[in-house]
Amino acid sequence: MTETPGTTKTCDNVLAFLPHDVAAPIMSRASVRRYGRGQTIACQGDESGTVFVAMDGWIKVTRVAETGVEAIIACLTVGGSFGETAVFGRDGLAV
């Protein structure tokens, strides 16, 4: 895993449920990024090949309806993730 300068967190046990031979190639491509409060990580409709995992703090995942109303889909804490459907198949969209 590569780390952005100034970060100290690692995600060694995020994939602990996977066998080492499956988790190792995934972790070798992982990187740590820090986002500030209120900063957008990904936008609804963005195509993505990334799974995002909260290593510290929390992440609010929202969707905006056609009417413009924002709905909170999830509030993720440490270990929580989103973007799996983009990586593992369903629609290729991060949110």
Side-chain angles (χ1 to χ4, degrees), residues 50-64:
T50 304
V51 174
F52 298 90
V53 179
M55 301 307 299
D56 191 21
W58 62 280
I59 301 169
K60 178 174 74 170
V61 181
T62 64
R63 281 195 171 253
V64 178

Side-chain angles (χ1 to χ4, degrees), residues 2-87:
T2 59
E3 291 191 27
T4 304
T7 63
T8 56
K9 297 282 182 183
T10 63
C11 49
D12 295 334
N13 46 350
V14 170
L15 301 176
F17 63 94
L18 293 175
H20 178 73
D21 62 324
V22 174
I26 295 170
M27 295 306 295
S28 71
R29 297 182 60 199
S31 62
V32 173
R33 295 186 181 135
R34 290 194 176 272
Y35 295 91
R37 181 182 181 104
Q39 188 175 357
T40 300
I41 297 172
C43 292
Q44 181 175 332
D46 284 354
E47 289 191 26
S48 176
T50 304
V51 174
F52 298 90
V53 179
M55 301 307 299
D56 191 21
W58 62 280
I59 301 169
K60 178 174 74 170
V61 181
T62 64
R63 281 195 171 253
V64 178
E66 290 180 14
T67 61
V69 176
E70 180 182 75
I72 298 173
I73 304 301
C75 288
L76 307 173
T77 58
V78 175
S81 62
F82 73 95
E84 295 90 337
T85 58
V87 174

